[in-house]
């Protein structure tokens, strides 16, 4: 039995290796974005380090706008206050001149002020572009709680946030400061895949080149739309932190699916020993994000058949004309495997494409009898072996759903072969 397995190596390839691998320029993107780069100008950054920041900003602006002439880039520079704002523009020459004039403020790290200012500027943007914020910092902010709150407000407003942390302690895992800084980067970012760490400022230019390629890949348009329900296991074997990873993955799936085709609709069915929540399929990204963030972890049994049957009923009632997709996310064998198999068979017989995503910590223990039974259930749920996907832990979920969106986008209209 061969199942698709996506690893951390795939995660980095998904985030970083997209449409062009050269630094000569990025291939054209079908979708434009308005991006503000929020730049830490604190005293811990040397003059040479700040010059690397300027170079990275110029590279990001140049490659972003060359990839799509409707893209706009701006900068918010902060220290113990916001000291400079470059309003988002598509004029590369003006941006380059303004970036070269940025003065290093050389004081505190009031990251929340920079995030709030950039959020306000993005909220006021009427271009119709996707909204992106990139936060570049080299250390823990002076007010971590305020930073976390500002980032949460930004993400709740539908803004995609990428955190880039310069961390000279990257290779010192036992450092308490390093762990706090890493957590703040995760708190700032939209998901773990967009909380990026590099060891020094010399890597910034390459990092922003990779980000441009990633943003370009995220916005490739799909010619066909789908209505998808994600059936989510909320059983007691899933920790609170892992359930937060599930929420992040759901938000990513909804965001990327709908941005790829505005007619696509995404919904959620959450179950444990009963169906505890349903988010009706919608194309309204902000409403979906808010509803997903409100999902409560039911924390009981694994009655997977109930979640599948509820989602099937919702897809059967969908009259959009879209292709029908069901994604079943689970972390273990269901309580009633025969019922799960029967529910999945009914779903597939109704013409619904089913993708099973199983979090399996025993992935590298082939002799486990439980592992064999769990793998068989994933195959029973999925439309075929290629759509029975295993990952080792919840931290890989976001990248997994990104890959699923790309597969659906690429192969919609081609017999749905993933």
């Amino acid at each position: 039995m061969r199942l698709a397995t996506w690893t951390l190596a795939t995660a980095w390839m998904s985030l970083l290796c997209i449409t062009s691998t050269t630094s000569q320029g990025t291939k054209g993107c079908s979708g434009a974005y308005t991006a503000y780069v929020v730049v830490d100008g604190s005293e811990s950054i040397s003059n040479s380090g700040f010059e690397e920041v300027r170079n990275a900003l110029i590279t990001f602006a140049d490659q972003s706008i060359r990839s799509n002439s409707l893209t706009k880039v701006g900068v918010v520079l902060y220290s113990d206050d916001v000291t400079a704002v470059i309003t988002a523009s598509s004029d590369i020459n003006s941006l380059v001149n303004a970036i070269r004039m940025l003065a290093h403020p050389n004081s505190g790290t009031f990251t929340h002020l920079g995030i709030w200012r950039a959020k306000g500027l993005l909220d006021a943007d009427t271009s119709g572009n996707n909204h992106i914020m990139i936060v570049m910092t080299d250390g823990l902010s002076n007010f971590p709680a305020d930073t976390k709150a500002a980032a949460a407000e930004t993400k709740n407003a539908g803004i995609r946030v990428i955190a880039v942390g310069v961390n000279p302690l990257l290779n010192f895992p036992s450092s308490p400061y390093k762990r706090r800084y890493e957590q703040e980067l995760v708190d700032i970012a939209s998901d773990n895949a967009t909380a990026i760490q590099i060891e020094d400022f010399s890597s910034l230019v390459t990092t922003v080149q990779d980000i441009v390629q990633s943003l370009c890949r995220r916005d490739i348009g799909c010619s066909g739309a789908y209505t998808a329900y994600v059936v989510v296991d909320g059983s007691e074997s899933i920790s609170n932190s892992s359930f937060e990873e599930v929420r992040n993955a759901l938000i990513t799936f909804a965001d990327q699916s709908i941005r790829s085709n505005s007619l696509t609709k995404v919904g959620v069915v959450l179950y444990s020993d009963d169906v505890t929540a349903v988010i009706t399929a919608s194309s309204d990204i902000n409403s979906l994000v808010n509803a997903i963030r409100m999902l409560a972890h039911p924390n009981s049994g694994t009655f997977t058949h109930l979640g599948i049957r509820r989602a099937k009923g919702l897809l059967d009632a969908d009259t959009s004309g879209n292709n029908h997709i069901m994604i079943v996310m689970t972390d273990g064998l269901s309580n009633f495997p025969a019922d799960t198999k029967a529910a999945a068979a009914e779903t597939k017989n109704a013409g619904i494409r089913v993708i099973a995503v199983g979090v399996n910590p025993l992935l590298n223990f082939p002799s486990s009898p439980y592992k064999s039974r769990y793998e068989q259930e994933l195959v029973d749920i999925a439309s075929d072996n290629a759509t029975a996907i295993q990952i080792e832990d919840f931290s890989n979920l976001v990248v997994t759903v990104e890959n699923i969106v790309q597969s659906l986008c690429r192969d919609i209209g081609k017999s749905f072969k993933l």
Side-chain angles (χ1 to χ4, degrees):
M1 180 192 316
R2 187 187 176 97
L3 286 78
T5 303
W6 291 338
T7 64
L8 283 171
T10 313
W12 277 107
M13 290 300 292
S14 172
L15 179 65
L16 303 179
C17 185
I18 320 294
T19 44
S20 169
T21 57
T22 73
S23 61
Q24 311 303 316
T26 306
K27 292 181 181 178
C29 295
S30 60
Y33 50 86
T34 298
Y36 272 91
V37 188
V38 178
V39 177
D40 175 3
S42 59
E43 60 192 351
S44 57
I45 301 172
S46 67
N47 289 338
S48 61
F50 197 72
E51 185 59 26
E52 296 280 8
V53 172
R54 290 191 192 96
N55 291 337
L57 292 172
I58 290 169
T59 299
F60 179 75
D62 178 74
Q63 295 199 6
S64 292
I65 295 163
R66 290 191 193 284
S67 71
N68 189 309
S69 61
L70 298 178
T71 284
K72 301 195 298 178
V73 174
V75 178
V76 172
L77 175 64
Y78 73 91
S79 187
D80 52 11
D81 199 354
V82 171
T83 61
V85 172
I86 301 173
T87 305
S89 166
S90 299
D91 184 334
I92 295 174
N93 290 337
S94 295
L95 286 168
V96 169
N97 291 335
I99 290 166
R100 290 201 186 283
M101 294 295 292
L102 287 173
H104 184 187
N106 204 27
S107 192
T109 311
F110 288 33
T111 307
H112 62 292
L113 298 183
I115 292 173
W116 269 321
R117 177 67 67 88
K119 176 185 179 294
L121 292 162
L122 285 167
D123 287 344
D125 175 59
T126 58
S127 65
N129 290 351
N130 296 308
H131 286 171
I132 306 294
M133 186 186 298
I134 300 170
V135 180
M136 289 184 182
T137 177
D138 85 319
L140 196 65
S141 66
N142 291 118
F143 301 96
D146 290 336
T147 299
K148 184 175 182 178
E153 290 173 21
T154 301
K155 293 178 282 190
N156 287 339
I159 297 167
R160 179 76 167 164
V161 185
I162 301 167
V164 180
V166 180
N167 187 356
L169 297 173
L170 195 58
N171 296 314
F172 295 87
S174 62
S175 164
Y177 176 87
K178 174 179 182 286
R179 289 194 294 271
R180 290 168 57 210
Y181 180 36
E182 287 178 342
Q183 184 57 56
E184 182 163 88
L185 293 174
V186 170
D187 290 340
I188 291 170
S190 286
D191 48 58
N192 283 6
T194 55
I196 301 166
Q197 290 188 81
I198 56 177
E199 196 166 359
D200 55 57
F201 286 95
S202 65
S203 302
L204 260 183
V205 166
T206 301
T207 301
V208 299
Q209 288 173 337
D210 291 335
I211 289 171
V212 172
Q213 292 178 32
S214 177
L215 293 173
C216 184
R217 194 264 311 190
R218 280 173 54 82
D219 289 315
I220 289 174
C222 293
S223 58
Y226 51 86
T227 298
Y229 272 91
V230 188
V231 179
V232 178
D233 175 2
S235 59
E236 60 192 351
S237 57
I238 300 171
S239 68
N240 289 338
S241 60
S242 294
F243 196 73
E244 184 60 25
E245 297 277 9
V246 172
R247 291 191 193 97
N248 289 337
L250 291 172
I251 289 169
T252 299
F253 179 75
D255 177 75
Q256 295 198 12
S257 293
I258 294 163
R259 290 194 192 283
S260 71
N261 189 308
S262 61
L263 298 178
T264 284
K265 300 195 298 179
V266 174
V268 178
V269 172
L270 175 62
Y271 73 92
S272 188
D273 52 11
D274 200 354
V275 171
T276 62
V278 172
I279 301 173
T280 304
S282 167
S283 299
D284 184 331
I285 295 174
N286 289 340
S287 295
L288 286 168
V289 168
N290 290 335
I292 290 165
R293 290 201 187 281
M294 294 296 290
L295 287 174
H297 184 187
N299 203 28
S300 191
T302 312
F303 289 33
T304 306
H305 63 292
L306 298 182
I308 292 173
R309 287 204 171 109
R310 177 66 69 87
K312 176 185 179 294
L314 292 161
L315 285 167
D316 287 343
D318 176 58
T319 58
S320 65
N322 290 351
N323 296 292
H324 285 172
I325 306 293
M326 186 186 299
I327 301 171
V328 181
M329 289 183 183
T330 177
D331 85 320
L333 197 64
S334 66
N335 291 119
F336 301 98
D339 291 336
T340 299
K341 184 176 181 177
E346 293 164 17
T347 301
K348 292 179 282 189
N349 288 339
I352 298 167
R353 183 71 167 165
V354 185
I355 302 166
V357 179
V359 180
N360 187 356
L362 297 172
L363 193 58
N364 296 314
F365 295 89
S367 62
S368 164
Y370 176 88
K371 177 178 181 285
S372 300
R373 291 167 58 210
Y374 182 34
E375 286 180 343
Q376 184 57 56
E377 183 163 87
L378 293 175
V379 170
D380 290 341
I381 292 170
S383 287
D384 48 54
N385 280 10
T387 54
I389 299 163
Q390 289 189 85
I391 57 176
E392 196 167 358
D393 56 58
F394 287 92
S395 66
N396 295 337
L397 260 184
V398 165
V399 172
T400 300
V401 299
E402 287 180 332
N403 286 331
I404 289 171
V405 172
Q406 292 303 305
S407 295
L408 292 172
C409 183
R410 182 189 67 232
D411 293 315
I412 215 162
K414 297 180 184 176
S415 303
F416 266 141
K417 249 183 189 180
L418 282 171

